[in-house]
Amino acid sequence: MSVLSGYRVLDLSIAMAGPLAAMRLGDLGADVLKIEPVTGEWQRHTSAGGAAGQTVNASFLSLNRNKRSLAVDLKSPAGRELVLGLAAEADVFLQNYRPGVAARLGLDYEAVRSVRPDIVYVSMSGYGEDGPYADRPGQDLLLQSLSGALYSAGRAEDIPQAGPYFVADAITAYSAFEGVLAALLHRERTGEGQKVEVNMLDAMIAMQMQELSVRTVGGVAQTRGHGIHAHSYIRAPYGIFPTSDSCIALAFADLGLLAEIFGDPTLARWDAERDGFIHRDAISAAVARNLITDTTASWLERLGGRGVWVGPVNSYADVVDDPQVKHNGSFVTYRHPTEGVVTTPGFAFRLTATPARVERGAPTVGEHTDEILAELGLTEAEVAALKQDKVVA
């Protein structure tokens, strides 16, 4: 039995952060009902990278495994009543509407709590449920930018570059996942449900615990240099350096050891801990000047063999073929009813007694409508009538 078997989650979220949080609960065995519009959730129609798929695109497929789909019109009174009926038997209710939308739909915390007093109600937003930014669009790039993270890497003369993945969405999803588990544990101990509020801005700030504390506690300015450097609060050399055939990642190297390996005595005059911040650009330039003279494979062997912290800079093609990734089973492969055999990232952690697993692939729109409504106690005739009235699909 999986660790969350017996728990039911109503997932009314869209895009990435909410669906990813709900999927992680499903991976641990929760019965996740994806409540989506009769035309399908937004992410079904927005394919990342143009990966449209046969029926289910890669974006939706990657964020919605281990869920059942109920396609319902929440703007109709009948649709709202169906969802409240399901909420009365649910443990977790998760939504990431813009502030005020849940209330207009009659599905805010108070409404849901009226039918299930001990519900764990998760409200996710971009900036918080109120305040000066509450109505702004909570999009990943905008939150990366607002959170201050982008000024911790790169060169002073270049404009900041965003992370090449949806880091704000991902960290918010895991914050919600963590909040749900904490709230469920509290309910197990006390019988009391509660509202869990998660916003992308707070999640991004909390993720930078160390960096922002260096600024707020240590008073150290977030200053970028002019040379290769990956983090303004870490001493040089630290970053991605070009080699004669590609590039290499190098971190926290002892400068005396580098001077010996490179045969470059200029590096030996600096002490990394003492000079790594003050002479950051000069140190990085000296390291770069040496690394460009040989291949990545050669440096990985020469430097790595002496204990220097170096590593390859992988593409996605490299990642899926990496021997450690294969050893870990970092990806899962399963058969999807419309997309065939698919391979996607697996699980972020392992439980020895109750491991996560893929029980079902991402659903097609309303694939489980009949099944879910039957569980709610509706007859075939009642379901047919709801379909005729376009309340469900």
Side-chain angles (χ1 to χ4, degrees):
M1 184 174 73
S2 296
V3 67
L4 292 181
S5 293
Y7 290 90
R8 173 168 282 186
V9 177
L10 301 191
D11 174 19
L12 285 78
S13 64
I14 66 170
M16 178 176 172
L20 176 56
M23 186 181 80
R24 291 306 185 205
L25 297 169
D27 288 346
L28 293 182
D31 178 21
V32 181
L33 308 187
K34 185 169 185 68
I35 311 299
E36 57 182 319
V38 294
T39 54
E41 192 241 294
W42 174 83
Q43 188 81 331
R44 290 189 184 273
H45 312 294
T46 306
S47 56
Q54 303 298 321
T55 301
V56 181
N57 69 44
S59 303
F60 187 89
L61 184 146
S62 69
L63 298 167
N64 290 282
R65 70 181 175 221
N66 288 330
K67 300 180 185 182
R68 297 190 288 163
S69 170
L70 167 65
V72 58
D73 179 7
L74 293 179
K75 295 180 180 179
S76 71
R80 173 182 175 275
E81 289 307 311
L82 286 176
V83 172
L84 286 176
L86 290 168
E89 303 297 326
D91 301 285
V92 179
F93 188 103
L94 188 153
Q95 56 86 0
N96 65 350
Y97 299 127
R98 285 195 180 190
V101 172
R104 290 199 296 273
L105 291 172
L107 294 171
D108 58 353
Y109 177 48
E110 294 304 324
V112 175
R113 187 169 65 164
S114 70
V115 299
R116 180 68 190 245
D118 64 348
I119 194 74
V120 171
Y121 185 102
V122 186
S123 177
M124 303 174 68
S125 63
Y127 307 88
E129 298 195 352
D130 48 38
Y133 296 170
D135 292 329
R136 289 188 181 184
Q139 196 278 330
D140 189 280
L141 176 61
L142 307 184
L143 268 301
Q144 286 192 47
S145 301
L146 184 64
S147 71
L150 305 190
Y151 278 94
S152 284
R155 302 190 304 168
E157 55 266 32
D158 296 333
I159 63 172
Q161 295 295 309
Y165 51 93
F166 297 117
V167 61
D169 280 321
I171 194 64
T172 304
Y174 277 96
S175 297
F177 175 62
E178 179 182 353
V180 168
L181 296 182
L184 286 175
L185 179 59
H186 173 77
R187 196 182 74 169
E188 292 294 327
R189 289 173 168 173
T190 68
E192 180 184 40
Q194 62 185 300
K195 185 179 183 182
V196 179
E197 295 184 17
V198 182
N199 73 74
M200 299 172 76
L201 180 58
D202 287 350
M204 281 295 293
I205 289 173
M207 183 184 71
Q208 299 174 83
M209 175 66 70
Q210 183 173 231
E211 290 84 354
L212 282 165
S213 295
V214 170
R215 175 67 181 87
T216 60
V217 179
V220 180
Q222 185 187 25
T223 305
R224 298 190 295 170
H226 302 284
I228 295 172
H229 202 62
H231 198 301
S232 63
Y233 288 144
I234 294 178
R235 61 173 172 78
Y238 187 82
I240 309 300
F241 293 85
T243 63
S244 64
D245 64 345
S246 57
C247 53
I248 192 171
L250 183 146
F252 298 118
D254 177 86
L255 297 179
L257 181 58
L258 285 184
E260 178 187 336
I261 297 170
F262 290 154
D264 183 352
T266 60
L267 282 164
R269 69 186 182 191
W270 289 304
D271 174 83
E273 189 63 32
R274 184 189 65 230
D275 302 318
F277 295 100
I278 300 172
H279 300 292
R280 184 169 62 194
D281 288 347
I283 293 170
S284 295
V287 171
R289 182 175 65 243
N290 284 279
L291 288 174
I292 198 69
T293 64
D294 207 346
T295 66
T296 293
S298 176
W299 287 127
L300 288 173
E301 182 177 352
R302 293 168 61 186
L303 294 172
R306 297 291 300 277
V308 179
W309 292 4
V310 290
V313 181
N314 282 345
S315 68
Y316 283 169
D318 299 322
V319 170
V320 297
D321 287 330
D322 184 272
Q324 185 66 44
V325 170
K326 289 184 174 181
H327 172 81
N328 289 350
S330 303
F331 289 80
V332 292
T333 299
Y334 57 93
R335 180 170 291 280
H336 188 276
T338 64
E339 307 309 304
V341 176
V342 298
T343 297
T344 63
F347 314 110
F349 59 88
R350 290 171 171 79
L351 299 174
T352 57
T354 53
R357 53 178 173 260
V358 179
E359 299 287 356
R360 64 177 88 237
T364 55
V365 182
E367 179 180 345
H368 306 95
T369 294
D370 290 5
E371 178 181 302
I372 293 168
L373 295 185
E375 292 171 4
L376 192 57
L378 276 69
T379 66
E380 291 184 7
E382 289 172 325
V383 173
L386 289 170
K387 291 180 181 177
Q388 179 67 32
D389 292 339
K390 298 184 179 179
V391 174
V392 299

